[in-house]
Amino acid sequence: MQQTPDQQVHNLIRGAGKARGERGRAKMDIVESKQISEPIKSEAQISHLALDIGGSLIKLVYFSTNNDSSSSSSSSSSSSSSKDSVAVSSGNEGRPVLEGKLHFAKFETAKINDCIDFIRSKQLRLSGFQKHGAPAGEKCTIKKATGGGAYKYADLFKEKLGICLDKEDEMDCLVAGSNFLLKAVHTEAFAYIDGQKEFVQIDHDDLYPYMLVNIGSGVSMIKVDGPGKFERVSGTNVGGGTFWGLGRLLTKCKSFDELLELSHRGNNRVIDMLVGDIYGGMDYTKIGLSSTTIASSFGKAISDNKELEDYKPEDISRSLLRMISNNIGQISYLNALRFGLKRIFFAGFFIRGHAYTMDTIAVAVHFWSKGEAKAMFLKHEGFLGALGSFMSYEKHGFLNLKVHQLVQQSPVDASRGEDKIHDPPNGELNENQSIDCSICLS
């Protein structure tokens, strides 16, 4: 019986055997499972790369053994590090085990050649499955990929790297990656409360149901009911691409990171119309609105006798970030309310561990739910799809990924009525941290 990616995650964590079966569907321009040869079980030929190619960013997850030179210093144009605290597990049933790390890197889709150069420099294209039925002399190594760019750029990867992209469903990969991280990495999920981050210990028996809000170029809101059970219940076209696109037009910033950095120095009250601006500095107490509540984003631009160049770019960036984050937080809660969900996990590279973004989303969820729902965030926020794509190799009986934690848990905070563990020392939320792990060959 064919397993969904979510069920594979469940089996990976419980140390189950390899998944059985192959995909029964054929898609145009997609490498089918039956075209993939039996894996060659040697360390030098581990297929250790998966991609999530989105509209704005390309995300990579790749495995390197502990003695693999390709895991050394990464390209300056990518984001990767190795600071997480997870330990290698042992194999079972006498099967070969490779110990190493999962690394994470990202690139702008518009600069896809940088990604291609990175893959080439790390020699990540050299190993993996070979495509059956290829013409004589044609070498095509199969790599897992998800996202719309897996279709759009398939020919480019084949031409430049000799890589054939085996496409996996985007929503399947997002949920599979999320479930795996929430179950396997104890310091993955955290809340952001009053400017402080509190890592939350997830009870595996009480994980479902939850709302997963993935904020990429657009936003998807997915209700996750259990292994293999999920539904995209809503979404919005106002997401990271909106922030980047409008920000580029209004501030002339050349990159998302530049725009985000600009917002650090901004003051949205210069542009946003507040309740106090309408009520002469007073609260609107009858309906519970303080004088500092935003009544209208960019509202002051209506009455100010100013042109665009009269406003500071940093104030525009701040107002734009506040508007989009607030909107996403509110819409996410309203969808969670439809299904009676109290936990909402926010992911995607729009967040990037940015304090102001997380605070705005968290405050919006807290405000509209009257404190009944909680916004939580993920440390590897932007790599859910890429990680889910990586894990899909197990469908072919090739690998079994295992991660065990070394982090010591803090005592339960009974006064807050919740389980939590604190931020590991020197942990930076906005860094894409590598994970120590082992791969068990089937």
Side-chain angles (χ1 to χ4, degrees), residues 127-200:
S127 58
F129 298 105
Q130 297 297 316
K131 182 179 177 181
H132 275 321
E138 178 183 321
K139 291 185 178 181
C140 186
T141 304
I142 294 174
K143 302 292 185 182
K144 290 293 186 177
T146 190
Y151 298 84
K152 183 176 181 179
Y153 298 107
D155 290 343
L156 181 65
F157 275 83
K158 185 175 181 180
E159 175 189 348
K160 298 286 188 179
L161 296 171
I163 287 177
C164 292
L165 300 181
D166 185 22
K167 289 86 167 175
E168 294 292 329
D169 180 77
E170 186 172 355
M171 293 297 130
D172 286 348
C173 289
L174 280 173
V175 174
S178 175
N179 284 345
F180 175 77
L181 289 170
L182 289 172
K183 289 181 177 182
V185 183
H186 292 175
T187 55
E188 183 63 35
F190 62 93
Y192 195 80
I193 302 172
D194 297 328
Q196 301 294 321
K197 50 187 178 289
E198 295 181 353
F199 281 79
V200 178

Side-chain angles (χ1 to χ4, degrees), residues 45-120:
Q45 293 177 304
I46 288 296
S47 184
H48 59 310
L49 168 68
L51 304 96
D52 177 4
I53 310 175
S56 302
L57 292 171
I58 303 172
K59 289 77 67 176
L60 279 71
V61 171
Y62 63 97
F63 175 82
S64 69
T65 55
N66 286 336
N67 60 354
D68 190 343
S69 61
S70 71
S71 65
S72 58
S73 61
S74 83
S75 158
S76 60
S77 61
S78 71
S79 296
S80 64
S81 65
S82 55
K83 296 184 178 180
D84 217 342
S85 43
V86 236
V88 176
S89 72
S90 58
N92 54 35
E93 301 177 3
R95 292 180 293 180
V97 174
L98 297 178
E99 298 180 355
K101 294 180 182 291
L102 283 179
H103 300 270
F104 304 85
K106 64 178 173 65
F107 301 85
E108 292 182 20
T109 305
K111 300 177 181 178
I112 193 169
N113 285 326
D114 290 346
C115 175
I116 289 173
D117 290 343
F118 178 84
I119 293 172
R120 184 182 290 113

Side-chain angles (χ1 to χ4, degrees), residues 118-410:
F118 178 84
I119 293 172
R120 184 182 290 113
S121 70
K122 295 287 185 183
Q123 300 182 3
L124 300 177
R125 72 192 193 283
L126 300 179
S127 58
F129 298 105
Q130 297 297 316
K131 182 179 177 181
H132 275 321
E138 178 183 321
K139 291 185 178 181
C140 186
T141 304
I142 294 174
K143 302 292 185 182
K144 290 293 186 177
T146 190
Y151 298 84
K152 183 176 181 179
Y153 298 107
D155 290 343
L156 181 65
F157 275 83
K158 185 175 181 180
E159 175 189 348
K160 298 286 188 179
L161 296 171
I163 287 177
C164 292
L165 300 181
D166 185 22
K167 289 86 167 175
E168 294 292 329
D169 180 77
E170 186 172 355
M171 293 297 130
D172 286 348
C173 289
L174 280 173
V175 174
S178 175
N179 284 345
F180 175 77
L181 289 170
L182 289 172
K183 289 181 177 182
V185 183
H186 292 175
T187 55
E188 183 63 35
F190 62 93
Y192 195 80
I193 302 172
D194 297 328
Q196 301 294 321
K197 50 187 178 289
E198 295 181 353
F199 281 79
V200 178
Q201 180 182 353
I202 302 298
D203 182 352
H204 295 180
D205 296 325
D206 190 35
L207 173 60
Y208 309 109
Y210 68 85
M211 180 73 75
L212 174 62
V213 180
N214 190 65
I215 314 172
S217 299
V219 183
S220 287
M221 298 169 189
I222 306 167
K223 176 175 173 279
V224 183
D225 289 312
K229 299 177 182 178
F230 65 89
E231 177 186 5
R232 185 185 188 274
V233 296
S234 189
T236 172
N237 58 350
V238 180
T242 312
F243 176 64
W244 193 350
L246 280 176
R248 184 183 179 92
L249 290 174
L250 295 172
T251 69
K252 308 304 180 185
C253 284
K254 300 301 183 183
S255 72
F256 189 100
D257 290 325
E258 182 184 354
L259 187 63
L260 201 59
E261 179 62 31
L262 196 64
S263 72
H264 280 287
R265 309 190 299 270
N267 179 8
N268 67 293
R269 297 184 183 188
V270 175
I271 298 177
D272 293 342
M273 184 182 292
L274 309 182
V275 169
D277 296 324
I278 301 172
Y279 281 83
M282 298 175 60
D283 298 337
Y284 189 178
T285 54
K286 185 175 181 179
I287 59 173
L289 298 179
S290 70
S291 62
T292 57
T293 300
I294 297 174
S296 176
S297 294
F298 287 85
K300 284 183 180 176
I302 299 172
S303 55
D304 288 346
N305 188 24
K306 296 180 180 179
E307 300 297 328
L308 178 60
E309 57 268 19
D310 296 322
Y311 292 100
K312 294 180 179 179
E314 53 264 41
D315 296 338
I316 294 173
S317 176
R318 184 83 160 194
S319 178
L320 188 59
L321 183 63
R322 186 69 177 249
M323 178 182 72
I324 293 172
S325 301
N326 219 355
N327 240 303
I328 292 172
Q330 181 181 5
I331 295 172
S332 299
Y333 166 66
L334 293 176
N335 276 283
L337 182 65
R338 290 172 57 199
F339 302 101
L341 304 178
K342 302 297 184 183
R343 272 191 306 209
I344 311 172
F345 293 100
F346 292 87
F349 262 121
F350 171 72
I351 302 171
R352 303 203 183 190
H354 188 252
Y356 190 71
T357 305
M358 293 188 296
D359 183 68
T360 302
I361 292 174
V363 168
V365 170
H366 185 271
F367 176 83
W368 290 107
S369 71
K370 295 181 171 57
E372 293 185 3
K374 177 183 289 187
M376 286 185 281
F377 305 91
L378 301 177
K379 185 160 56 175
H380 295 89
E381 56 195 12
F383 293 98
L384 305 189
L387 182 57
S389 179
F390 182 89
M391 295 170 65
S392 69
Y393 281 116
E394 196 218 6
K395 282 195 290 194
H396 311 298
F398 185 57
L399 56 81
N400 198 329
L401 178 65
K402 298 179 183 298
V403 176
H404 285 258
Q405 287 287 96
L406 281 178
V407 176
Q408 294 297 316
Q409 299 177 14
S410 299

